[in-house]
Amino acid sequence: MEQTVILSVHDLHVKFTLRGKVLHAIRGISLDLYRGESLAIVGESGSGKSVFTKNFIGLLDKNGWVDGGAILYYGMGGEPADLAQYHTEKEWSRIRGREIAMVMQDPMTSLNPLKTVGWQIGEALELHQGLKGEAARQKAIEILADVGIPEPERRYKQYPHEFSGGMRQRAVIAIAMACNPKILICDEPTTALDVTIQAQILDLIKELKEKYSLTTIYITHDLGVVANVADRIAVMYAGDIVEIGTCDEVFYDPRHPYTWALLSSLPQLGVKGEELYSIHGTPPNLFNTIRGDAFAPRNPNALKIDFKHRPPYFAVSPTHKARTWLLDPRAPRIEPPTVIRNIRSVREKRT
Ligand SMILES: Nc1ncnc2c1ncn2[C@@H]1O[C@H](COP(=O)(O)OP(=O)(O)OP(=O)(O)O)[C@@H](O)[C@H]1O
Ligand SMILES: [Mg+2]
């Protein structure tokens, strides 16, 4: 399959100032996003998933800034636009919503409680697609049906508080879709939605992706929900992508000890009668300079070099790479935990 890049991030650094101190939130991420793919970004709370992607729509908090790198957007034809150089609202208005849309973690904060859902979709349709009156109403109802909201004609007239949590999330996606974006980013809440609803939203995104040839990024802390749905998975740790590969590569052949730990702690993969694995320790404090592999202090098998030098990416396949010294040809052979080696058989047995 021929793949064209729609968004290319090069060595992106993002920093914040907080009470006079500097926090290095994104520590040199590079990523090519392909047109039409669905990428999942997974990682613990605080790993930088939201901060990373907020840079694509210019919604970094005011105390944050891009401290180096480029974000090349190829979606508008001609020369790519470097979003890392965008500063004004005027510049961002060409991108935000109409090229790249982001569905935020908390659907209640992105919906206006005082306006009907139909009105809010209509507003986006008028602004981005020039539709008004009956044409806009028809289109809005079509979009509500597209996002799987039953009885769209009735729902159109309702207010956000009349929607359940899952339906609200769909309404927010409907508003995003009304802008007709090329890239849709869904930043899933860690707690507000249960796993079943997350799975339904993922199915929905898959349908929208097919119907509208969208490129999608789905953000979650739960590797389990993106299994078999995403084309690729990027694993984030401490402001960096530590492993990226196709869904199969990350699930069946993970190479970074952090990915091992994430997979080992999935309840779905737990062995009956055995205590579920949990990652001990806490993520590093990003106010401090990080030396070596950021995961080393929590990695029971860390090598000496892990505490000294930051590992480069080592390619496992043309589509799979991980930032770990374990992939260096000189590294001692360390086997992944048993649960990882068993994943294939556990999963095969259960399906
Ligand atoms: N406005 C801000 N000022 C200072 N630090 C910030 C700011 N916003 C985010 N951070 C820090 O940047 C890091 C990444 O945060 P981010 O919100 O991207 O994490 P996340 O992976 O999205 O987590 P979650 O799963 O909880 O949403 C964290 O250490 C966070 O504390
Ligand atoms: Mg977040």
Side-chain angles (χ1 to χ4, degrees):
M1 190 176 85
E2 221 224 302
Q3 293 189 308
T4 52
V5 172
I6 185 161
L7 187 80
S8 185
V9 182
H10 294 273
D11 197 24
L12 185 70
H13 289 262
V14 174
K15 290 180 176 168
F16 291 99
T17 45
L18 205 60
R19 287 176 233 108
K21 290 208 305 185
V22 176
L23 180 145
H24 199 168
I26 300 299
R27 301 182 307 117
I29 294 186
S30 297
L31 171 76
D32 279 339
L33 185 69
Y34 300 109
R35 210 178 279 264
E37 80 163 324
S38 60
L39 173 77
I41 300 181
V42 300
E44 284 169 283
S45 190
S47 55
K49 307 179 296 293
S50 300
V51 169
F52 177 50
T53 47
K54 276 181 183 172
N55 285 290
F56 307 163
I57 51 167
L59 283 186
L60 217 52
D61 293 340
K62 295 277 175 288
N63 61 331
W65 70 95
V66 171
D67 196 56
I71 305 170
L72 303 179
Y73 179 62
Y74 290 85
M76 295 185 290
E79 287 294 302
D82 185 358
L83 307 184
Q85 302 296 331
Y86 277 25
H87 297 292
T88 64
E89 281 303 300
K90 187 159 173 262
E91 286 170 316
W92 281 114
S93 68
R94 293 200 292 266
I95 298 291
R96 195 185 298 146
R98 68 179 66 215
E99 297 288 333
I100 306 176
M102 187 157 175
V103 174
M104 292 298 184
Q105 279 187 326
D106 178 6
M108 246 354 216
T109 57
S110 23
L111 288 168
N112 182 340
L114 303 176
K115 301 280 186 191
T116 64
V117 167
W119 187 92
Q120 297 180 55
I121 299 175
E123 188 190 33
L125 284 173
E126 182 172 343
L127 195 65
H128 293 281
Q129 302 195 39
L131 293 175
K132 275 191 197 146
E134 184 53 22
R137 198 184 74 91
Q138 286 300 332
K139 184 71 189 172
I141 289 170
E142 187 192 324
I143 294 176
L144 282 171
D146 275 346
V147 300
I149 293 182
E151 299 182 79
E153 307 238 353
R154 185 170 70 86
R155 291 300 199 164
Y156 177 87
K157 297 185 223 124
Q158 290 187 329
Y159 290 87
H161 73 264
E162 298 175 81
F163 282 57
S164 67
M167 285 298 148
R168 251 179 237 149
Q169 194 76 353
R170 287 174 194 265
V172 179
I173 294 174
I175 296 171
M177 290 306 295
C179 309
N180 209 10
K182 298 192 180 86
I183 301 177
L184 178 68
I185 304 167
C186 288
D187 194 349
E188 280 301 330
T190 311
T191 48
L193 285 188
D194 66 39
V195 171
T196 327
I197 294 178
Q198 280 203 52
Q200 289 168 1
I201 299 287
L202 268 163
D203 281 340
L204 166 65
I205 291 167
K206 208 171 171 183
E207 281 167 33
L208 293 173
K209 183 190 124 174
E210 303 300 330
K211 181 162 177 185
Y212 294 96
S213 347
L214 272 178
T215 306
T216 60
I217 299 179
Y218 189 87
I219 297 174
T220 174
H221 69 291
D222 189 341
L223 244 179
V225 291
V226 296
N228 306 319
V229 205
D231 296 318
R232 285 196 302 160
I233 298 177
V235 179
M236 279 193 71
Y237 188 77
D240 191 14
I241 292 178
V242 295
E243 179 155 14
I244 185 166
T246 65
C247 207
D248 277 5
E249 286 167 334
V250 172
F251 267 94
Y252 298 136
D253 191 22
R255 298 304 182 105
H256 197 286
Y258 178 63
T259 315
W260 294 350
L262 265 189
L263 282 166
S264 304
S265 53
L266 283 183
Q268 301 92 305
L269 300 176
V271 181
K272 232 183 169 169
E274 275 179 34
E275 202 181 321
L276 195 63
Y277 176 86
S278 67
I279 310 174
H280 53 81
T282 49
N285 181 344
L286 297 174
F287 283 112
N288 299 335
T289 306
I290 293 175
R291 257 185 107 195
D293 182 330
F295 188 59
R298 302 173 80 185
N299 176 8
N301 298 313
L303 309 171
K304 267 197 198 125
I305 189 170
D306 282 327
F307 294 95
K308 287 194 189 128
H309 299 288
R310 188 177 190 181
Y313 282 112
F314 290 93
V316 181
S317 82
T319 49
H320 185 194
K321 61 183 180 177
R323 249 194 213 276
T324 168
W325 287 115
L326 288 183
L327 287 171
D328 188 294
R330 293 161 295 182
R333 209 178 150 71
I334 291 178
E335 289 293 335
T338 326
V339 47
I340 301 298
R341 280 178 279 149
N342 288 344
I343 285 179
R344 189 170 286 233
S345 62
V346 171
R347 289 169 61 84
E348 276 165 4
K349 254 185 259 159
R350 292 197 181 164
T351 46

